Amino acid sequence: MRLVRTSASVRHSSRRRPRKPAIAAISKSDLAHLPINRIEASLHPAGKQKEALDRLSDATTKAIADLQAACPNDVPLTPVGRLEAMQHRLEAMQKAAKLIEPALDEFYAMLSSEQKARFNTLQRVASP
């Protein structure tokens, strides 16, 4: 027995597909600001905390720019080229982590116990 999908069933099934989350409409350059905005809205940092959050935001923005530069859209054709590209991306990820970690440590150290508790419960935002 062969099942044939009609245009009506295609239309019907497309209505049942889950909608893409609103985050999908955000550009890659805006991704750095998402967690910072959520942190700011949840913790309401002030004074030196706000300055430390701004440094974390700057480090995150730089790290994302570096990662985007290290991850071109073109995929190398050869296995050796693909491995070299993977190595380049992994090195960029390590560099990004080393760039963000001190700024995050500084900001986290300035938080009160209550703010740390809220910070620790913030959910990660999935990238599109």
Side-chain angles (χ1 to χ4, degrees), residues 25-80:
I26 297 171
S27 72
K28 286 183 181 181
S29 62
D30 291 336
L31 284 176
H33 300 292
L34 278 177
I36 301 300
N37 292 343
R38 292 180 68 228
I39 291 167
E40 194 166 15
S42 177
L43 305 182
H44 309 290
K48 294 208 180 277
Q49 287 180 338
K50 176 69 171 122
E51 293 170 12
L53 182 60
D54 290 342
R55 286 189 290 277
L56 176 59
S57 177
D58 292 343
T60 303
T61 300
K62 170 120 178 59
I64 287 176
D66 291 349
L67 285 170
Q68 287 175 336
C71 300
N73 292 331
D74 298 330
V75 176
L77 297 176
T78 66
V80 172

Side-chain angles (χ1 to χ4, degrees), residues 75-105:
V75 176
L77 297 176
T78 66
V80 172
R82 288 191 293 274
L83 284 173
E84 288 173 353
M86 276 192 277
Q87 180 179 357
H88 189 63
R89 285 191 295 267
L90 289 171
E91 289 168 355
M93 290 172 66
Q94 285 180 317
K95 182 181 172 188
K98 288 178 183 178
L99 182 64
I100 292 171
E101 185 178 22
L104 179 58
D105 287 343

